[in-house]
Amino acid sequence: MAGKRVALVLGSGGARGYVHIGAIQVLAERGHEVVAVAGSSMGALVGGLFAAGKLGDYTDWVTGLSQRDVLRLLDPTLSGPGAIRLERVLARMSEILDGALIEKLPIPYTAVATDIGARREVWFTSGPLDVAIRASISIPGLITPIMVNGRLLVDGGVLNPVPMDPVIGTDADFTMAISLGGARTPHRDATPTKESSEQRPPNEWLDRFVKGAAGVWENDFVASILARFSRNGHDDEGHTPPAFEPPPPGLGITDVTSMSLDTMGSLITRFRLATLPPDVLVTVPGDAAKAMDFHRAEELIALGRTLTEAALDEATVDE
């Protein structure tokens, strides 16, 4: 049966958040009505634009951005508490939102941020929508945090990557949540493993490394590691290498920060969703895109459509 009422929860995950756009498109095409939206980080951004009726304008804009356009818009900085200011993006977003206030949106909306001074979540349910979104998308170490009413605010995904709590009690037929931090490979064991810090022969760990590197490292880096140990643990000059490897070439602070937050967020999400499970869960693999791959909008929107259609079909909520 089409036309059901949906409480929608949109998770954090950088550029993977374009998936949310595809998910919303599918819900509309199937005749469902979104009656409440909550989001963290990119989920707060897409959810806020949707609640304001401006998601189409935003989608038109981002699908036309090249990688060069994205780099220009991100406002990189060499000083301050973040590597990216986002002022140009914020200006465009504010222009699209045109002064929208959360309390006047046609759909109830909550943006989740994290107060790193008080170490607690902050739920924005009133006030300027663009400010609430800006607070929620401040990825620690990457995007400069902002102060709002004496609170130093960073990404909502730090404490609540998929914020189910704000939609509890909503008069909806079902809840649907989208998690952007799914396993990078199927059936990955998340339990702790014991390991020795002593360097072991390459034949004992190369296979594990190659499997673990799939979807995380670029192929040229994987090949360089394999070549480095292709001579029975000795380098090109016959010397025994140190008992550990340096970081891979080209690995930047953006990669380390986003991967660390993804690792932390996946654990938090697993525990929080076990307590408050949605009726429909759309899970996006963590390696679907890097956090800053904002030039891949069309591809990720299409992925969102595919994953959402499959999740709805499996849950049979349309019946």
Side-chain angles (χ1 to χ4, degrees), residues 13-19 42 58 62-63 65-71 74 84 139 142-143 184 215-216 218 254-255 258 262 285-301:
R16 292 191 298 277
Y18 285 142
V19 164
M42 194 65 174
Y58 177 78
V62 298
T63 51
L65 295 176
S66 66
Q67 189 169 16
R68 178 175 295 183
D69 293 331
V70 170
L71 292 174
L74 291 181
I84 299 169
I139 302 173
L142 297 182
I143 299 175
R184 295 177 181 270
V216 180
E218 301 294 338
T254 299
D255 301 306
S258 61
D262 282 349
D287 56 357
K290 293 183 179 179
M292 295 291 119
D293 281 351
F294 290 106
H295 58 288
R296 297 173 57 190
E298 288 191 3
E299 172 190 343
L300 291 166
I301 291 171

Side-chain angles (χ1 to χ4, degrees), residues 229-254:
F229 288 93
S230 63
R231 299 183 177 178
N232 297 321
H234 294 80
D235 62 18
D236 291 338
E237 298 179 358
H239 301 141
T240 301
F244 58 88
E245 284 298 309
L251 184 70
I253 188 173
T254 299

Side-chain angles (χ1 to χ4, degrees), residues 26-92:
V26 169
L27 287 173
E29 290 167 3
R30 296 196 176 197
H32 298 305
E33 177 191 4
V34 176
V35 295
V37 182
S40 285
S41 194
M42 194 65 174
L45 187 149
V46 172
L49 286 157
F50 170 68
K54 303 290 186 178
L55 186 57
D57 294 339
Y58 177 78
T59 302
D60 291 341
W61 177 52
V62 298
T63 51
L65 295 176
S66 66
Q67 189 169 16
R68 178 175 295 183
D69 293 331
V70 170
L71 292 174
R72 179 176 54 83
L73 287 167
L74 291 181
D75 277 334
T77 177
L78 297 177
S79 61
I84 299 169
R85 288 187 295 260
L86 278 191
E87 297 305 322
R88 293 187 179 97
V89 173
L90 181 61
R92 178 57 180 148

